[in-house]
Amino acid sequence: MLWLALSLTFACLAIRELLSPWNRDHPQPIHPPYLLLVSAIAIGFAWPPVSTWRFERFLESRARVLTEGRPVSVHCNTLFDTMLDPNALAAGHANLATGEIVLQKPWCSTLRDYLDDPASADQRGIQSLNLFTHEVMHVRGLLDERVTECHAVQYNRRMAELLGVPAPLALDHARRYYRESYAQRAEVGGLSGSYFSPECAPGRALDLRLPHSIWR
């Protein structure tokens, strides 16, 4: 909201400058350098929220492919949003009733950076992909965190491809998450361990046997 308020302020200055020759009391000529400056500042302040809005709609369109017709909406929390979010300690959360997915700051930015350059992805970038896939799995109707995370592990490849990651990288990153980040959950235990299941493995109970499986 702050970005939009600042953008609107400078947009008003630009409009006032355009209307200055028609001011009955004090008509003034238009000053092009000033007009260009305030217009550029207005556009600059408007770009962050517009860019975020476009990214949210992009994520929604790709998520719908995996939610099997269930409604889904995506919101990237600002720092202020996160401070007011009762689930602020969670990197992301989903409302199964409404289909709303919320990603906390800075995870949306991390995911966007990952998608901008997947070839240079680090562990955190790959984790941001899994975070989004995990919340999409919740929207599909899954409640149990162990099951949800295991489904996300297996759908990460498909989600990455839907988001534009080249197929070889999508498979590699999905496998890296499973071998590294997911395996670490069992070692760390605690809250992180509650997302891990030994049945999340080839041929075990939680193997979905997907045609785009990560372990075949």
Side-chain angles (χ1 to χ4, degrees):
M1 291 299 293
L2 176 61
W3 292 108
L4 291 176
L6 291 171
S7 175
L8 181 61
T9 298
F10 282 92
C12 289
L13 292 176
I15 293 172
R16 187 178 69 176
E17 181 66 14
L18 286 171
L19 297 177
S20 58
W22 290 273
N23 186 316
R24 293 182 179 179
D25 297 327
H26 302 286
Q28 296 289 334
I30 294 175
H31 299 85
Y34 173 77
L35 178 60
L36 288 174
L37 176 62
V38 294
S39 297
I41 294 175
I43 293 171
F45 279 129
W47 176 246
V50 170
S51 177
T52 299
W53 180 86
R54 291 181 60 194
F55 185 58
E56 291 169 342
R57 302 296 81 75
F58 169 71
L59 294 179
E60 287 176 6
S61 67
R62 300 308 185 266
R64 288 192 188 99
V65 177
L66 296 185
T67 58
E68 301 177 340
R70 293 180 176 85
V72 58
S73 64
V74 178
H75 178 68
C76 295
N77 269 358
T78 63
L79 180 60
F80 183 71
D81 291 334
T82 298
M83 291 171 60
L84 297 179
D85 192 334
N87 296 306
L89 296 180
H93 54 88
N95 186 318
L96 275 66
T98 64
E100 182 183 26
I101 293 173
V102 174
L103 300 180
Q104 305 289 12
K105 190 176 180 62
W107 284 102
C108 262
S109 298
T110 303
L111 179 57
R112 193 187 316 207
D113 291 343
Y114 164 72
L115 297 177
D116 285 342
D117 187 16
S120 302
D122 57 12
Q123 187 178 31
R124 188 169 177 83
I126 295 173
Q127 288 171 347
S128 72
L129 168 68
N130 180 79
L131 170 63
F132 181 57
T133 310
H134 181 99
E135 301 309 331
V136 171
M137 294 300 104
H138 276 313
V139 174
R140 281 166 62 96
L142 298 175
L143 293 173
D144 185 286
E145 293 294 0
R146 286 185 173 86
V147 175
T148 304
E149 180 71 352
C150 187
H151 281 224
V153 162
Q154 296 174 75
Y155 272 101
N156 276 333
R157 175 185 182 182
R158 176 64 175 143
M159 178 59 77
E161 292 177 351
L162 288 170
L163 293 173
V165 177
L169 285 177
L171 176 58
D172 176 62
H173 295 168
R175 285 176 171 171
R176 281 173 59 185
Y177 182 84
Y178 178 68
R179 292 194 308 263
E180 299 172 14
S181 298
Y182 186 72
Q184 288 175 0
R185 291 188 178 281
E187 299 174 6
V188 173
L191 179 61
S192 181
S194 67
Y195 286 72
F196 176 85
S197 171
E199 296 301 317
C200 189
R204 304 297 290 269
L206 293 178
D207 183 0
L208 297 174
R209 296 172 174 81
L210 299 174
H212 45 78
S213 174
I214 67 168
W215 41 57
R216 290 186 179 83

